[in-house]
Amino acid sequence: MTSPVPTHSIESRWPVALTILVVLVLLTVLPDRIRVFPVWLPYLLGLVILVAIALVPLTGGKRRALRTERWITLLFCLLVGAGMLVGLRHLIFEMFDSSGDLDGLELFTSSVAVWMIGILIFALVYWQSDRGGPEMRLSDRRRSPDWLFPQADLDDILPHWQPTFVDYLFLAYTTATAFSPTDVAPISTWAKLMLMAQSLISLATILVVVSRAINILGS
């Protein structure tokens, strides 16, 4: 029989649900020609995630519900992330092709959507991966963290502080804008590799695709 996580140790899920809904909305901005998977597939998986998220507090945080939420979320991130990379590749090719299918406005809006999707997807991955997921961080504080947040050293002001999804969203945002974390230090190898990957994707999107799209709009 699976043992539940104490109710007080279940992290609020509404920011995560809102993030998934925003990702699904942003996917509608991308032109059909740069989509890899059928248009209905991410939406179906997104609906499944929302159901899995709702089951976590309803079941009192049972281990089975947490595992289901974790793997469905990571599968969603893998699916959308793969489509994002292929879409970014297509946008880069369109940028250098004067006879491409996308005009300047489509290129600009698509690149912004890809950049925002990247932030949200990496935030979800960070949130679900660091120390085994949100409830494991709350219930097992002995596990070594993958990220070192500055608040963790402020025991006098913030006793027993643990990062929530918004902290990982901020980490993903600062990495996408500054191409490096601002106040959070990566500790594990996978955290450093994820940072490098996100910085590279953001750099390609902002400095190459978006800048070229603005030039097209101004010409």
Side-chain angles (χ1 to χ4, degrees):
M1 182 176 180
T2 58
S3 58
V5 177
T7 304
H8 66 274
S9 296
I10 299 176
E11 181 181 329
S12 175
R13 291 302 198 271
W14 73 263
V16 182
L18 180 60
T19 295
I20 293 172
L21 290 175
V22 172
V23 170
L24 296 178
V25 171
L26 289 172
L27 288 174
T28 64
V29 178
L30 300 178
D32 293 337
R33 62 179 66 91
I34 69 173
R35 291 195 179 110
V36 180
F37 305 103
V39 65
W40 53 265
L41 186 57
Y43 296 96
L44 176 61
L45 192 54
L47 178 61
V48 174
I49 294 177
L50 294 176
V51 173
I53 288 174
L55 287 176
V56 171
L58 291 177
T59 60
K62 287 187 177 180
R63 303 294 180 186
R64 180 178 299 176
L66 293 173
R67 285 196 301 267
T68 300
E69 177 200 50
R70 173 183 172 85
W71 290 113
I72 292 178
T73 302
L74 293 177
L75 178 61
F76 175 78
C77 293
L78 178 63
L79 180 69
V80 176
M84 177 191 67
L85 290 176
V86 174
L88 178 59
R89 173 181 174 272
H90 186 89
L91 291 173
I92 292 175
F93 287 161
E94 286 280 341
M95 180 185 64
F96 293 106
D97 186 4
S98 58
S99 61
D101 297 328
L102 301 180
D103 58 26
L105 181 58
E106 286 181 312
L107 186 59
F108 176 74
T109 56
S110 298
S111 59
V112 172
V114 167
W115 182 74
M116 294 181 65
I117 289 172
I119 293 176
L120 301 179
I121 290 300
F122 274 98
L124 289 169
V125 173
Y126 297 157
W127 174 70
Q128 275 290 358
S129 301
D130 188 17
R131 282 193 291 171
E135 276 61 51
M136 289 299 296
R137 288 192 294 273
L138 293 171
S139 60
D140 186 4
R141 302 175 187 273
R142 296 171 297 177
R143 298 189 62 170
S144 177
D146 297 297
W147 305 94
L148 182 59
F149 289 83
Q151 295 91 332
D153 295 330
L154 303 176
D155 289 335
D156 296 337
I157 303 175
L158 301 171
H160 308 297
W161 181 89
Q162 292 295 325
T164 61
F165 175 76
V166 176
D167 297 292
Y168 295 100
L169 179 60
F170 179 75
L171 169 62
Y173 175 78
T174 56
T175 302
T177 53
F179 310 120
S180 65
T182 55
D183 61 349
V184 182
I187 299 177
S188 64
T189 300
W190 86 263
K192 296 175 182 178
L193 292 175
M194 292 295 291
L195 266 184
M196 294 168 60
Q198 187 187 2
S199 299
L200 182 61
I201 294 172
S202 180
L203 182 65
T205 307
I206 292 178
L207 297 184
V208 181
V209 180
V210 175
S211 61
R212 177 57 179 167
I214 294 176
N215 290 336
I216 293 175
L217 288 173
S219 61

